[in-house]
Amino acid sequence: MSPPIPRLATVSEIRDALAPVHRRGASVGLVPTMGALHEGHLSLIRAARETNDVVVVSIFVNPTQFGPNEDLERYPRDVEGDSRKCAETGADLIFSPSVEEMYPGPHSTWVEVEGLTAGLCGRSRPGHFRGVCTVLAKLFNICRPDRAYFGEKDAQQLAVVTRMVRNLDFPVQIVPCPTVREPDGLAMSSRNARLTPEERAQAPTLYRSLRAAQERIRAGERDAAALEEIIRSVLTEAPLAEIDYVEIVRADDLSPVAILTGDCLMAVAVKFGGTRLIDNLRVSA
Ligand code: PAF
């Protein structure tokens, strides 16, 4: 078992811990998370470990990115288990502030990335990306990382954060990391833990639907509406799944495409009861 690593709860503690690191010019990799860590998160920590002198994992269930009817209260939490996993995976520090510490109030400053946030998850989760960008801007200012690591499963989040960093000149490199999947293809997510056994059995249909469309692209199909229809028809094989969206967009600016050319993203979101799952597949046509 690895020895425990420091878990710091205040902004001044993490700043003090990182001050000598910055002074000696050592590099800092940040893995921002909301905890309930799974193999997907651990792959981000390993990627950060390979390239940085110091690896910080932030664990903070950020209330400002949840809508009023979303699962903030029910979001899985396991700080002890997470701390053990961080230590075993080679992280150096954990930053796990309270809500009061991150938002001491009055809080009235928000970071909003326009355009990219209008479709996909942004349409059904108004305000979500404003909360994500605001908390990440704060984490970047607090930890001053050289690199920050994000999973490609949250493709829109990755595009939005990349744009924010470029637009606001944050001196941080955003490092995308591949989606990690269960053996049956289900993309790893902290929310998977909340699926009932019946929902869990049907959840791999998301990835299967995307793979079916990918096969048709390989066979020459380029019409986005036809491909979306294939995805929807495979998703009906999961009767417990309620489709939120099925969309094919350009990979760079997330604008909808009619005919596939260049790099595109096929993205789906479905709800199993109160649990919302997303997945995507990048395709080149
Ligand atoms: O992807 C997540 O877990 C969250 O959106 C993030 C990036 C940690 C911001 O709260």
Side-chain angles (χ1 to χ4, degrees):
M1 208 169 83
S2 312
I5 56 174
R7 194 165 80 209
L8 308 175
T10 67
V11 173
S12 62
E13 279 170 344
I14 187 80
R15 281 203 165 130
D16 287 351
L18 289 174
V21 177
H22 292 305
R23 257 198 311 274
R24 65 172 191 270
S27 59
V28 174
L30 174 67
V31 181
T33 81
M34 298 206 298
L37 302 184
H38 51 67
E39 267 306 313
H41 296 114
L42 303 189
S43 75
L44 306 182
I45 300 175
R46 287 188 197 106
R49 180 68 291 159
E50 270 176 28
T51 329
N52 299 279
D53 298 312
V54 172
V55 175
V56 180
V57 179
S58 64
I59 299 177
F60 178 62
V61 183
N62 174 35
T64 66
Q65 68 187 73
F66 287 79
N69 298 317
E70 293 185 355
D71 55 352
L72 173 61
E73 299 311 325
R74 287 171 292 127
Y75 196 84
R77 289 164 171 84
D78 176 19
V79 177
E80 292 308 323
D82 289 347
S83 303
R84 201 173 17 80
K85 289 177 191 165
C86 287
E88 284 168 3
T89 318
D92 299 297
L93 292 169
I94 296 168
F95 177 47
S96 63
S98 64
V99 173
E100 295 69 32
E101 180 69 16
M102 280 303 270
Y103 297 103
H107 185 94
S108 51
T109 306
W110 301 98
V111 181
E112 187 120 35
V113 173
E114 296 176 343
L116 281 182
T117 56
L120 303 172
C121 293
R123 190 174 299 119
S124 42
R125 303 188 70 188
H128 169 68
F129 288 110
R130 181 178 93 143
V132 170
C133 288
T134 302
V135 82
L136 288 174
K138 287 168 72 68
L139 288 168
F140 292 164
N141 283 331
I142 292 165
C143 301
R144 294 167 48 212
D146 296 278
R147 300 179 191 85
Y149 294 77
F150 294 87
E152 288 175 342
K153 185 192 66 108
D154 297 300
Q156 189 175 18
Q157 170 169 277
L158 184 55
V160 167
V161 173
T162 304
R163 174 78 61 86
M164 173 188 88
V165 159
R166 199 167 66 225
N167 286 175
L168 297 184
D169 302 300
F170 280 98
V172 55
Q173 181 193 343
I174 300 301
V175 184
C177 298
T179 302
V180 179
R181 297 183 181 279
E182 301 286 356
D184 60 10
L186 176 63
M188 291 204 183
S189 161
S190 305
R191 290 191 165 96
N192 293 351
R194 295 198 23 237
L195 296 170
T196 65
E198 294 74 24
E199 291 166 345
R200 174 63 188 82
Q202 294 182 17
T205 314
L206 273 80
Y207 187 49
R208 253 186 331 106
S209 70
L210 295 169
R211 291 294 300 269
Q214 188 183 42
E215 284 304 308
R216 293 295 279 268
I217 295 168
R218 287 189 180 137
E221 182 63 82
R222 293 290 180 272
D223 183 71
L227 292 162
E228 286 173 12
E229 207 31 62
I230 290 162
I231 296 172
R232 283 179 185 278
S233 77
V234 177
L235 285 173
T236 58
E237 292 165 20
L240 297 174
E242 185 198 326
I243 298 176
D244 177 2
Y245 64 72
V246 173
E247 281 190 53
I248 303 182
V249 296
R250 282 169 51 96
D252 53 359
D253 63 3
L254 307 183
S255 61
V257 294
I259 301 294
L260 270 72
T261 48
D263 284 342
C264 296
L265 210 61
M266 302 190 290
V268 298
V270 307
K271 267 184 150 180
F272 282 99
T275 309
R276 191 170 177 282
L277 300 184
I278 58 173
D279 202 351
N280 70 82
L281 208 53
R282 210 178 155 115
V283 284
S284 287

